[in-house]
């Protein structure tokens, strides 16, 4: 695998030219405009239209187009091509969901700002992006690695499920308008957990080294989007008025998330994939998400204790104990695997040293079977016996012993002995000496 010698800042910036480079800088400019409008406000008609009626559509559509164009590159492996199409398709469906949101929220002034069809589009986009993440090519884990992936997944699902329930699901499902509305409100936090599950799986399983930079942007987009979506659900489905600061924070995170999706697509578009199939996977073997999840659950338990809300403490404590036990089992498996790998490495290094000593030894070294058949002869055999080592293999050892010393080997010419023994022998050169 070749090392990336670019400066750290350049590793995040895609190497692009022409229209793709223009899209990169246009995305940065448009994101800056959105952040200005959402945080400072503007009475300018053009900026007002951007903030109200256009919003994140250019960034999302640009990301969908970048992923789709990247998937059309002929040098990609089939797995990468399929994954990029799923990611691009998910962003394209997000554009439809945003259009429904803008129509309902800005045109018809719906209280919650999103009709049922918009929710259907958003849920579909979530699923498409999750499938795209899981379709990214990566190494196929062995049985041992599969256990680590499964334990990490269990920690993420249990721990983040508790966090999502405490902060998002419970506060926003108190007064649903009906069963379908309740399902929609619960679906988004669960899909966010699915996002993190897919992200954790890819981090552990690795992928082509050429796509490391693009995946960083994808991971950043997903993490920021989860925060933005959680804030949005708490704002519009929670009890009480919506704080202006919370709304601005949600809009800021949405802007950053969709820009990161655009940057990820452009990075895939600009990646050098000429050797993608021949290079090894870029595997970190470590994901911080399970540890972060455990810390989040522990923080919830502490918050419940200090706030006097002990009615929720038993469930949180059970969750904390569960994720901690899973994390300890996972750590134990990792330590056992590392010990086994260190033993294998030490054995390989020892074998390498012994082989080097044998190859460079001036003395003759011969290994035989108990019946006297030669299995190995060191390179010095040609100098000492006048016969190449490969010509001695499979021959009887007695054949190179001086005839007068045959009796020292025993009547059955076997070298087997119950214990180590030293026997002086004369060997015969190929020329008879």
């Amino acid at each position: 695998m070749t090392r990336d010698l670019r400066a750290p800042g350049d590793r995040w910036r895609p190497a692009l030219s022409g229209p793709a480079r223009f899209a990169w800088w246009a995305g940065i400019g448009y994101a800056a405009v959105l952040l200005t409008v959402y945080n400072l406000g503007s009475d300018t008609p053009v900026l007002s239209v951007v903030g109200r009626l256009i919003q994140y559509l250019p960034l999302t559509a640009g990301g969908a187009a970048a992923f789709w164009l990247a998937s059309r590159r002929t040098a990609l492996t089939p797995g990468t091509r399929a994954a990029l199409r799923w990611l691009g398709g998910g962003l394209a469906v997000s554009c439809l969901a945003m259009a429904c949101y803008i129509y309902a929220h800005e045109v018809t002034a719906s209280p919650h700002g999103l009709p049922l069809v918009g929710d259907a589009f958003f849920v579909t986009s979530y699923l498409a992006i999750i499938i795209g993440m899981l379709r990214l090519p990566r190494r196929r884990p062995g049985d041992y690695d599969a256990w680590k992936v499964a334990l990490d997944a269990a920690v993420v699902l249990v721990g983040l499920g508790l966090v999502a329930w405490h902060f998002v699901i419970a506060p926003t499902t108190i007064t649903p308008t009906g069963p379908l509305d309740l399902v929609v409100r619960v679906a988004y936090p669960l899909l966010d957990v699915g996002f993190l599950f897919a992200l954790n799986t890819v981090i552990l399983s690795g992928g082509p080294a050429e796509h490391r930079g693009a995946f960083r942007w994808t991971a950043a987009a997903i993490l920021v989007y989860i925060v933005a979506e959680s804030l949005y659900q708490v704002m519009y489905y929670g009890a009480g008025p919506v704080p202006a600061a919370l709304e601005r924070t949600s809009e800021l995170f949405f802007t950053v998330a969709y820009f990161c999706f655009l940057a990820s697509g452009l990075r895939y578009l600009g990646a050098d994939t000429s050797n993608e199939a021949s290079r090894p996977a870029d595997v970190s073997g470590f994901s911080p998400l399970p540890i972060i999840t455990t810390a989040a659950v522990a923080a919830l338990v502490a918050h419940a204790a200090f706030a006097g809300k002990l009615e929720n403490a038993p469930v949180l404590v059970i969750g904390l104990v569960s994720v901690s036990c899973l994390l300890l089992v996972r750590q134990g498996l990792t330590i056992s695997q590392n010990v086994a790998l260190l033993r294998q490495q030490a054995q390989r290094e020892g074998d390498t040293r012994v082989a080097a000593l044998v190859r460079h030894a001036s003395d003759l070294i011969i290994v035989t079977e108990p019946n006297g058949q030669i299995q190995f002869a060191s390179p010095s055999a040609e100098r000492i016996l006048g016969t190449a080592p490969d010509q001695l293999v499979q021959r009887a050892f007695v054949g190179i012993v001086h005839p007068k010393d045959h009796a020292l080997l025993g009547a059955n010419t076997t070298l087997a002995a119950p214990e180590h023994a030293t026997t002086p022998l004369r060997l015969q050169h190929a020329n008879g000496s």
Side-chain angles (χ1 to χ4, degrees), residues 104-433:
H105 187 71
E106 301 296 340
V107 179
T108 64
S110 173
H112 297 302
L114 192 64
L116 182 59
V117 65
D119 283 316
F121 281 138
F122 266 129
V123 170
T124 302
S125 70
Y126 270 63
L127 293 175
I129 293 174
I130 291 174
I131 293 173
M133 291 283 292
L134 296 176
R135 290 292 300 273
L136 286 172
R138 54 189 185 271
R139 65 169 182 159
R140 185 176 182 180
D143 294 337
Y144 213 115
D145 292 328
W147 274 106
K148 290 195 296 184
V149 172
L151 289 171
D152 273 1
V155 172
V156 171
L157 292 175
V158 173
L160 292 180
L162 284 173
V163 174
W165 171 263
H166 185 82
F167 283 110
V168 182
I169 298 178
T172 61
T173 56
I174 300 174
T175 57
T177 58
L180 190 57
D181 184 40
L182 178 63
V183 170
V184 169
R185 296 188 190 190
V186 174
Y188 285 111
L190 295 181
L191 287 170
D192 288 337
V193 175
F195 267 150
L196 292 176
F197 168 76
L199 183 61
N200 185 75
T201 301
V202 177
I203 291 175
L204 287 175
S205 301
E210 292 81 2
H211 297 161
R212 178 169 43 191
F215 178 73
R216 287 171 180 164
W217 282 106
T218 306
I222 287 176
L223 293 175
V224 176
Y225 188 88
I226 289 173
V227 176
E229 174 57 39
S230 300
L231 292 176
Y232 174 85
Q233 180 152 340
V234 171
M235 283 191 308
Y236 285 98
Y237 295 119
V242 179
L246 188 63
E247 186 171 6
R248 286 196 301 269
T249 303
S250 174
E251 291 165 344
L252 182 149
F253 277 105
F254 272 126
T255 301
V256 174
Y258 286 118
F259 173 76
C260 289
F261 275 123
L262 171 63
S264 176
L266 293 175
R267 190 66 191 257
Y268 275 111
L269 188 61
D272 178 14
T273 57
S274 56
N275 296 318
E276 177 187 337
S278 61
R279 291 187 181 182
D282 176 33
V283 180
S284 65
F286 170 77
S287 172
L289 292 179
I291 298 177
I292 295 173
T293 298
T294 306
V297 178
L300 280 179
V301 175
H303 178 268
F306 284 112
K309 299 178 179 179
L310 298 179
E311 65 274 8
N312 295 328
V315 176
L316 294 176
V317 170
I318 292 174
L320 178 60
V321 171
S322 299
V323 296
S324 299
C325 290
L326 290 171
L327 204 60
L328 288 174
V329 172
R330 199 262 195 222
Q331 189 65 21
L333 288 174
T334 302
I335 293 174
S336 299
Q337 187 184 40
N338 290 339
V339 170
L341 291 175
L342 289 174
R343 287 176 178 172
Q344 293 175 4
Q345 182 180 358
Q347 183 176 359
R348 287 194 300 268
E349 292 176 352
D351 293 343
T352 301
R353 286 193 293 268
V354 171
L357 290 173
V358 170
R359 284 195 303 269
H360 298 93
S362 59
D363 294 329
L364 175 62
I365 299 174
I366 292 177
V367 180
T368 74
E369 293 289 349
N371 62 6
Q373 188 180 55
I374 297 175
Q375 293 298 311
F376 171 83
S378 64
S380 57
E382 188 163 7
R383 175 178 56 83
I384 296 175
L385 299 178
T387 305
D390 57 346
Q391 295 179 354
L392 293 175
V393 175
Q394 302 301 324
R395 287 178 54 182
F397 179 73
V398 68
I400 61 174
V401 176
H402 192 281
K404 294 184 178 180
D405 290 346
H406 282 182
L408 297 176
L409 293 176
N412 58 357
T413 67
T414 180
L415 300 182
E419 58 185 13
H420 293 287
T422 300
T423 302
L425 295 171
R426 290 174 294 175
L427 303 184
Q428 192 166 24
H429 194 275
N431 60 12
S433 60

